[in-house]
Amino acid sequence: DAGVIQSPRHEVTEMGQEVTLRCKPISGHNSLFWYRQTMMRGLELLIYFNNNVPIDDSGMPEDRFSAKMPNASFSTLKIQPSEPRDSAVYFCASTPRGGTPDEQYFGPGTRLTVT
Amino acid sequence: AQSVTQLDSQVPVFEEAPVELRCNYSSSVSVYLFWYVQYPNQGLQLLLKYLSGSTLVKGINGFEAEFNKSQTSFHLRKPSVHISDTAEYFCAVSDRNAGNMLTFGGGTRLMVKP
């Protein structure tokens, strides 16, 4: 099992540019989570999908952030336009159908730097 | 809504010494409790969990934690740490009735010195 796959692992971009982060959950998992980790705010849940449908997006900071899950094996988190305060590590995690919270498997993260 | 407080942002300790990382939570409902570990430049790994049953739970790498409902705490302990335990540790809580959403504490950086 390849685990949760995230790409790119590192992204450096200039303020104002569009950034797209990608996540491939573990095959057979039907819940997907996007988190953001910063020194100031720790680990925050941004959005949560179940069966490709967004269930809770209350953690999405503002309209510049959007997330999609067009199918069970792919999700994107887009920031447009990006700002320096968006610099963080973004994690994707997935859980299997009927799983409990301890079965949330994390990807390696994407380190985003906005200059 | 739940919240998790990790009282220590950093804990320096010498190798082979015991360590306790503190975690307190607040919630109006029954919860599941977890500890995750994050090694440098890696994602989070589950260390141990409390779902039900015995309040003393054992995890990987010799760690254990005790759920104390009256004190709303879930402190993590290890009797003798190794250099390889140097990492960031996160306490997390999940509402038993709210799917698989996790609320994380701010993290504690454990620094084991030789």
Side-chain angles (χ1 to χ4, degrees):
Chain A
D1 192 336
V4 175
I5 298 172
Q6 291 187 248
S7 63
R9 292 295 310 276
H10 301 272
E11 176 80 36
V12 180
T13 191
E14 293 183 348
M15 185 173 72
Q17 297 297 308
E18 177 180 297
V19 175
T20 299
L21 310 182
R22 297 172 176 79
C23 175
K24 177 178 170 55
I26 294 173
S27 178
H29 285 197
N30 72 325
S31 294
L32 184 140
F33 306 81
W34 282 101
Y35 292 90
R36 178 174 67 176
Q37 184 179 36
T38 61
M39 289 291 290
M40 292 297 294
R41 301 174 68 90
L43 199 62
E44 308 169 276
L45 176 65
L46 300 178
I47 188 169
Y48 155 41
F49 291 88
N50 194 43
N51 294 323
N52 312 336
V53 176
I55 302 300
D56 187 329
D57 64 354
S58 59
M60 295 287 265
E62 49 197 275
D63 292 345
R64 296 185 298 107
F65 284 70
S66 63
K68 294 182 180 180
M69 192 164 186
N71 57 61
S73 58
F74 184 66
S75 177
T76 59
L77 178 67
K78 185 177 294 186
I79 308 173
Q80 166 63 21
S82 59
E83 297 181 3
R85 60 193 168 117
D86 301 330
S87 297
V89 181
Y90 291 81
F91 288 102
C92 176
S94 68
T95 56
R97 186 179 306 277
T100 50
D102 57 300
E103 295 178 275
Q104 199 167 128
Y105 294 90
F106 284 78
T110 294
R111 182 174 296 277
L112 173 65
T113 303
V114 183
T115 61
Chain B
Q2 303 114 29
S3 66
V4 180
T5 302
Q6 292 183 242
L7 296 166
D8 307 298
S9 59
Q10 295 185 67
V11 173
V13 63
F14 286 105
E15 192 174 21
E16 298 184 6
V19 71
E20 178 180 84
L21 306 184
R22 296 180 293 170
C23 172
N24 287 88
Y25 69 94
S26 65
S27 176
S28 58
V29 298
S30 295
V31 297
Y32 298 130
L33 293 157
F34 311 88
W35 276 97
Y36 283 83
V37 59
Q38 183 182 29
Y39 297 104
N41 299 314
Q42 295 186 28
L44 277 70
Q45 302 174 33
L46 182 67
L47 201 56
L48 51 78
K49 63 190 177 190
Y50 171 77
L51 302 182
S52 65
S54 173
T55 57
L56 182 64
V57 293
K58 295 186 184 298
I60 61 173
N61 300 339
F63 284 93
E64 64 179 32
E66 185 158 19
F67 169 51
N68 188 319
K69 188 175 182 178
S70 62
Q71 296 186 7
T72 60
S73 68
F74 191 54
H75 301 332
L76 181 71
R77 302 185 184 99
K78 186 170 182 177
S80 176
V81 295
H82 302 289
I83 296 287
S84 59
D85 293 324
T86 296
E88 187 97 18
Y89 292 80
F90 292 92
C91 183
V93 64
S94 173
D95 179 345
R96 287 172 180 254
N97 300 313
N100 291 331
M101 292 174 57
L102 291 168
T103 300
F104 286 90
T108 297
R109 183 171 298 278
L110 177 64
M111 299 175 294
V112 182
K113 300 180 286 186

